[in-house]
Amino acid sequence: MEGSSQSKWVRPLISGNSGMVDSQKSKVWPWALILSSFFSWVIVTIGTGAIVAVTLLLIGYSETTSINLAILVSYLAIIPLTGLLIYADGSVDDTMDSMRLESVRKSLKLVIVIPIIVTLIDFVLVVLYGISYDAILGEPRPNTDIGVTWDSGLAAIGVTFFSIAILAPIAEELMFRGYLLESIKRLHGDVVAVIASSVLFGLAHFPDPYTMGMATIGGMLYGYVKIRTGSLWPSIISHLIWNMIALAVTYL
């Protein structure tokens, strides 16, 4: 009787532990895919830009032109790559739904009202982050040289704005708030998805630690808004506004 009583307690414990192990194992391969996709995305972005820049320099183009076209081509390359990842993930329909605009009133809220609020909050948080960074680690010195200034030609400035203020937000939001956030959300829920996708977004802005922290803050806001609204438009437009301001004030 005593042995039988013990077995009644032991079997559920063993069964419960087995279920926990199986659950953990079931998340290993999805995470392996998520991380391999992230690193592939980063490698393609950097690799494409480097190949294009070096090639153009070797055939005689100026450094400014080479950098401009390298940035442009790298973002043009990773948009279809991100689309392929979304397709492989089986979430094309969900992504299309997140890009759909319905009524005029809702559209104005998604593409104007929310992005303005997000950008203002982002600005305040980045200022506080900058003050804290300066107090702890010293004055941040991010690399702001992208080969283009306000004295550059109109074509060079135009290509830079199109690449960084238009293409970059689309490519990065599709990847980080589209594919990555949704993939992690299915595994762990909203909170972990926002945090993890934001950390990966920050890591994608290496090697400058200040910029990585700033990107992580922005990623948290963009991810939160994506979860709350179900739409990619607020994060895309917020990202666009931020990049445009950064280009105009800091990089050009």
Side-chain angles (χ1 to χ4, degrees), residues 175-207:
M175 179 64 180
F176 291 93
R177 260 60 66 180
Y179 168 66
L180 288 176
L181 184 141
E182 292 300 324
S183 296
I184 299 170
K185 178 183 173 182
R186 288 198 297 270
L187 294 173
H188 302 286
D190 294 348
V191 175
V192 174
V194 171
I195 294 173
S197 62
S198 301
V199 171
L200 291 175
F201 185 55
L203 291 174
H205 289 76
F206 75 94

Side-chain angles (χ1 to χ4, degrees), residues 71-72 75-76 156-169 247:
I71 294 173
L72 175 64
Y75 281 118
L76 287 174
I157 295 175
V159 170
T160 300
F161 260 91
F162 179 69
S163 301
I164 296 178
I166 306 297
L167 287 181
L247 270 175

Side-chain angles (χ1 to χ4, degrees), residues 98-125:
S98 71
M99 296 292 291
R100 193 169 286 118
L101 293 173
E102 298 172 359
S103 66
V104 174
R105 181 177 180 180
K106 186 175 181 180
S107 298
L108 291 175
K109 181 180 178 181
L110 291 174
V111 303
I112 296 178
V113 178
I114 295 177
I116 290 175
I117 294 173
V118 169
T119 302
L120 290 174
I121 295 173
D122 198 2
F123 176 77
V124 172
L125 292 177

Side-chain angles (χ1 to χ4, degrees), residues 12-13 56 58 62 78-79 106 128 133 149 168 187 199 208 245:
L13 287 173
L56 292 176
L58 289 175
S62 68
I78 60 174
I79 289 177
K106 186 175 181 180
L128 294 175
Y133 188 99
T149 68
L187 294 173
V199 171
D208 179 68
I245 294 172

Side-chain angles (χ1 to χ4, degrees), residues 93-102 106 109-110 114 177-178 181-182 185 190 221-236:
D93 290 340
D94 291 338
T95 303
M96 294 298 293
D97 287 341
S98 71
M99 296 292 291
R100 193 169 286 118
L101 293 173
E102 298 172 359
K106 186 175 181 180
K109 181 180 178 181
L110 291 174
I114 295 177
R177 260 60 66 180
L181 184 141
E182 292 300 324
K185 178 183 173 182
D190 294 348
L221 289 172
Y222 301 158
Y224 173 78
V225 171
K226 170 61 169 59
I227 293 292
R228 289 298 301 270
T229 64
S231 174
L232 272 171
W233 283 110
S235 62
I236 290 175

Side-chain angles (χ1 to χ4, degrees), residues 1-250:
M1 291 294 292
E2 184 177 351
S4 174
S5 176
Q6 286 179 347
S7 67
K8 289 180 181 179
W9 289 100
V10 171
R11 277 196 296 269
L13 287 173
I14 294 174
S15 176
N17 289 335
S18 176
M20 186 179 300
V21 171
D22 289 341
S23 176
Q24 291 173 346
K25 286 182 178 179
S26 69
K27 295 177 182 179
V28 171
W29 285 111
W31 264 107
L33 179 61
I34 287 169
L35 293 176
S36 63
S37 299
F38 165 73
F39 286 114
S40 297
W41 190 91
V42 172
I43 290 169
V44 169
T45 304
I46 297 173
T48 301
I51 291 170
V52 171
V54 171
T55 301
L56 292 176
L57 286 169
L58 289 175
I59 62 178
Y61 283 88
S62 68
E63 182 179 351
T64 297
T65 301
S66 299
I67 292 175
N68 274 316
L69 293 179
I71 294 173
L72 175 64
V73 174
S74 66
Y75 281 118
L76 287 174
I78 60 174
I79 289 177
L81 171 61
T82 306
L84 182 62
L85 292 172
I86 292 171
Y87 175 79
D89 190 53
S91 54
V92 173
D93 290 340
D94 291 338
T95 303
M96 294 298 293
D97 287 341
S98 71
M99 296 292 291
R100 193 169 286 118
L101 293 173
E102 298 172 359
S103 66
V104 174
R105 181 177 180 180
K106 186 175 181 180
S107 298
L108 291 175
K109 181 180 178 181
L110 291 174
V111 303
I112 296 178
V113 178
I114 295 177
I116 290 175
I117 294 173
V118 169
T119 302
L120 290 174
I121 295 173
D122 198 2
F123 176 77
V124 172
L125 292 177
V126 167
V127 168
L128 294 175
Y129 165 68
I131 294 172
S132 301
Y133 188 99
D134 185 31
I136 298 171
L137 300 174
E139 182 181 354
R141 298 183 181 278
N143 182 13
T144 60
D145 183 13
I146 56 175
V148 180
T149 68
W150 286 114
D151 295 326
S152 302
L154 185 60
I157 295 175
V159 170
T160 300
F161 260 91
F162 179 69
S163 301
I164 296 178
I166 306 297
L167 287 181
I170 294 173
E172 293 178 358
E173 292 310 310
L174 282 172
M175 179 64 180
F176 291 93
R177 260 60 66 180
Y179 168 66
L180 288 176
L181 184 141
E182 292 300 324
S183 296
I184 299 170
K185 178 183 173 182
R186 288 198 297 270
L187 294 173
H188 302 286
D190 294 348
V191 175
V192 174
V194 171
I195 294 173
S197 62
S198 301
V199 171
L200 291 175
F201 185 55
L203 291 174
H205 289 76
F206 75 94
D208 179 68
Y210 175 74
T211 304
M212 289 169 63
M214 190 165 56
T216 302
I217 292 171
M220 293 279 190
L221 289 172
Y222 301 158
Y224 173 78
V225 171
K226 170 61 169 59
I227 293 292
R228 289 298 301 270
T229 64
S231 174
L232 272 171
W233 283 110
S235 62
I236 290 175
I237 302 301
S238 299
H239 199 156
L240 185 152
I241 294 171
W242 186 269
N243 281 18
M244 191 175 295
I245 294 172
L247 270 175
V249 175
T250 306

